[in-house]
Amino acid sequence: MSIFEKFDHLRQTYDSLGDRSHNPFSVSFDRIESATEGVLNGRRVILLGTNNYLGLTFDQHGIDEAVRAVQTLGTGTTGSRVANGSYAGHGALERDLATFFGRRHCMVFSTGYQANLGMLSTIVGRGDHLILDSDSHASIYDGARLGHAEVIRFRHSDPDDLYKRLRRLKDVPGSKLIVAEGIYSMLGDVAPLREIAAVKREMGAYLMVDEAHSMGVLGEHGRGLAEATGVEADVDFIVGTFSKSLGSVGGFCVSDLEGFDILRVACRPYMFTASLPPSIIASTRSALQRLDRDKSLRTQLMANATQLHNGLQALGLEVGPHVSPVVSVALDEPETAVRFWNALVDGGVYLNLALPPATPSSRPLLRASVSAAHQPRQIDKAIDLFGTIARELGVLPAVSFAAEPPRVAAA
Amino acid sequence: MQLSEIREQIISGLHQARPDVRDITGTTRIVQDLELDSVAVMDFILSIEDRFDISIPLDRVADIVTVDDLARVVEGLGNAERA
């Protein structure tokens, strides 16, 4: 008996998705050419599944700053900030982020995953209560599991259900922390944050918002959903990532709460991991400046998102409820979804396939994420390809007369 | 509420989730025997929480295998809330 026997079922499912070159979960690019193009199995593809919302991975200033940092400070810090000490850039990036969000405190983590893991496992403890949206990202669930607070879920984006759950805890001692996300990563739907904040105020809880997919995307200044809905004062903690709009890797938490800094010596996923290398810090700071300065990126991003969302909807495909840079098409059968995904790649469009149980409502998703760097013609190409494949696979009627005027039968 | 009454309500909820399965008893395993996927289980747990006006902590959910396990958790939480 193998120690891996427990994964037999998973192995079976994984293998059924096809060999390496056709398996959606073992994609390996030959080359990345730009923020929107790469080469996959010798074929040039439009990158439509990278969460590179502002398209800053090839930003010249970011690259120059990263090169300068690696040349002057080396390739890595080789240890944690608590043990090895911080570099000047770590503190500078934390001050930049605190200023950007208008908060007093910021902690930077080595990944976005660790930011959630660290914050959720530390700021609430035994006797406290975590109240999570049921569609929360894996990093939120994992952070909850790592800590000692009691964890309950409320129905996805349902403030009334949240209220009910807090009411049940009304006379129970301990801090209560509500966790919601700005944009949910699978369907691109946006949380009803104003209503959630109202429940939070009424019930005397704390509120954390994960703006991983909404920072740089929503809000007049790109501060995310809390800014867009005017409830920043009610949000006690904002967590986020550098690996989407900021085009690098890492995570952060900002807060105005007094005493926040003690987390630096209490939060294990912060303490016991190597800190971010100087090149990452440098390009992240550069990207944050650009995000802050250049509102045209957000305008272009939303125009591109609208083009894709409306284009796919017009074909008759089922897309998410809100226009956002995450545009997902829901299908019924996983087998169809895998074939659809392969046909898209063969036709020159790369995006993500998400299969249940990693999707809401047990349906497979073809998940696209739009970038400000996409050209309208790239998005048009993707929409056309979606239409062709959907008709070939019978997801849409074989020949669509939708665009033509109705024919009147001859008498 | 009595344990038997809680069990009955859980079973009637499961019959709604899996109308094709006839025999559901206290010893029925909710995931394995009824072949509910994780999303369906979550929806079912949410409906049970509504019905009994409780919130079941996630670590308790992880320990639930059979209908009776769930009934005992519901009973315990219901009593705690009345206390």
Side-chain angles (χ1 to χ4, degrees):
Chain A
M1 170 184 156
S2 156
I3 196 168
F4 302 124
E5 198 179 88
K6 59 178 94 47
F7 302 114
D8 280 355
H9 183 69
L10 185 60
R11 163 70 60 194
Q12 214 180 332
T13 309
Y14 181 70
D15 288 347
S16 74
L17 297 173
D19 61 25
R20 257 192 83 73
S21 62
H22 290 97
N23 193 316
F25 302 107
S26 59
V27 169
S28 176
F29 291 98
D30 308 341
R31 289 195 308 283
I32 297 294
E33 304 267 315
S34 70
T36 62
E37 285 193 336
V39 178
L40 184 58
N41 301 326
R43 183 184 298 277
R44 213 178 172 83
V45 292
I46 296 168
L47 300 175
L48 200 64
T50 56
N51 301 329
N52 194 356
Y53 298 126
L54 302 184
L56 295 181
T57 46
F58 284 81
D59 179 72
Q60 195 53 51
H61 187 259
I63 291 173
D64 293 344
E65 289 293 298
V67 168
R68 203 162 59 90
V70 81
Q71 281 172 339
T72 54
L73 297 165
T75 51
T77 65
T78 65
S80 83
R81 292 173 66 181
V82 180
N84 292 25
S86 296
Y87 288 20
H90 293 121
L93 175 56
E94 287 174 341
R95 286 189 295 279
D96 290 351
L97 283 160
T99 303
F100 175 74
F101 282 100
R103 311 253 170 175
R104 272 179 290 177
H105 309 287
C106 175
M107 265 168 77
V108 159
F109 292 80
S110 297
T111 64
Y113 177 85
Q114 280 164 296
N116 271 333
L117 205 64
M119 293 307 298
L120 292 171
S121 64
T122 309
I123 58 177
V124 281
R126 212 172 292 286
D128 293 333
H129 304 270
L130 257 178
I131 304 104
L132 310 182
D133 184 286
S134 60
D135 280 3
S136 290
H137 187 261
S139 58
I140 293 173
Y141 275 112
D142 291 357
R145 267 179 72 179
L146 187 63
H148 300 283
E150 194 169 86
V151 186
I152 58 177
R153 289 179 289 195
F154 64 98
R155 282 180 202 275
H156 175 54
S157 287
D158 184 341
D160 294 335
D161 194 54
L162 171 65
Y163 176 83
K164 241 174 12 191
R165 286 165 196 278
L166 282 165
R167 192 198 64 215
R168 288 173 194 143
L169 289 171
K170 204 166 174 33
D171 301 318
V172 181
S175 299
K176 287 126 199 171
L177 176 67
I178 304 161
V179 186
E181 297 177 38
I183 291 178
Y184 283 86
S185 64
M186 282 292 117
L187 290 177
D189 53 315
V190 171
L193 198 57
R194 201 170 297 143
E195 293 78 5
I196 289 174
V199 172
K200 173 250 172 171
R201 280 196 302 273
E202 185 182 342
M203 303 306 278
Y206 292 90
L207 175 58
M208 173 185 283
V209 178
D210 182 340
E211 303 268 20
H213 293 269
S214 39
M215 178 188 185
V217 173
L218 299 178
E220 170 72 18
H221 301 88
R223 293 198 297 267
L225 184 62
E227 185 195 5
T229 52
V231 296
E232 285 176 292
D234 294 309
V235 178
D236 301 286
F237 304 95
I238 288 176
V239 288
T241 178
F242 306 150
S243 59
K244 294 176 174 67
S245 287
L246 297 176
S248 64
V249 63
F252 69 89
C253 178
V254 294
S255 177
D256 256 342
L257 293 187
E258 205 52 58
F260 182 85
D261 262 355
I262 194 65
L263 297 175
R264 291 188 195 275
V265 289
C267 178
R268 297 168 66 87
Y270 172 86
M271 297 163 68
F272 297 101
T273 193
S275 61
L276 287 169
S279 55
I280 293 295
I281 296 285
S283 76
T284 306
R285 291 188 69 196
S286 165
L288 182 61
Q289 284 167 17
R290 176 90 192 272
L291 184 163
D292 196 19
R293 211 181 47 232
D294 190 353
K295 284 183 188 167
S296 72
L297 289 173
R298 276 192 294 293
T299 314
Q300 188 59 51
L301 173 64
M302 288 319 278
N304 290 350
T306 306
Q307 186 189 348
L308 184 64
H309 187 275
N310 292 356
L312 294 176
Q313 198 163 43
L315 287 175
L317 293 168
E318 192 179 332
V319 289
H322 304 130
V323 174
S324 87
V326 177
V327 183
S328 287
V329 172
L331 298 172
D332 289 323
E333 298 303 324
E335 295 74 20
T336 312
V338 173
R339 287 176 62 199
F340 207 130
W341 181 87
N342 272 291
L344 283 166
V345 171
D346 289 342
V349 172
Y350 168 78
L351 44 61
N352 315 130
L353 174 70
L355 295 179
T359 59
S361 72
S362 297
R363 293 177 70 190
L365 297 174
L366 293 164
R367 176 191 181 274
S369 51
V370 177
S371 171
H374 282 122
Q375 300 293 321
R377 63 173 167 77
Q378 292 176 306
I379 295 173
D380 275 338
K381 181 185 168 176
I383 295 167
D384 287 347
L385 191 59
F386 256 100
T388 307
I389 298 167
R391 284 187 289 272
E392 275 169 19
L393 294 179
V395 173
L396 291 175
V399 182
S400 171
F401 295 106
E404 296 178 22
R407 293 167 186 208
V408 180
Chain B
M1 193 182 289
Q2 293 292 312
L3 189 61
S4 57
E5 199 180 328
I6 294 170
R7 184 194 298 123
E8 250 169 63
Q9 292 202 24
I10 291 170
I11 290 173
S12 102
L14 283 169
H15 275 304
Q16 280 168 25
R18 287 299 310 270
D20 49 322
V21 178
R22 287 219 181 123
D23 277 344
I24 302 178
T25 68
T27 56
T28 300
R29 295 172 304 173
I30 296 169
V31 173
Q32 294 94 324
D33 295 341
L34 299 180
E35 293 178 347
L36 293 176
D37 66 28
S38 57
V39 177
V41 168
M42 195 188 78
D43 286 345
F44 174 68
I45 296 283
L46 287 168
S47 74
I48 290 294
E49 290 176 323
D50 277 348
R51 188 177 299 201
F52 295 101
D53 195 26
I54 53 170
S55 296
I56 307 177
L58 278 193
D59 58 335
R60 306 284 292 277
V61 173
D63 291 337
I64 296 167
V65 178
T66 65
V67 169
D68 279 343
D69 293 339
L70 176 56
R72 276 189 290 271
V73 168
V74 171
E75 185 193 33
L77 287 170
N79 288 340
E81 287 194 5
R82 276 192 300 278

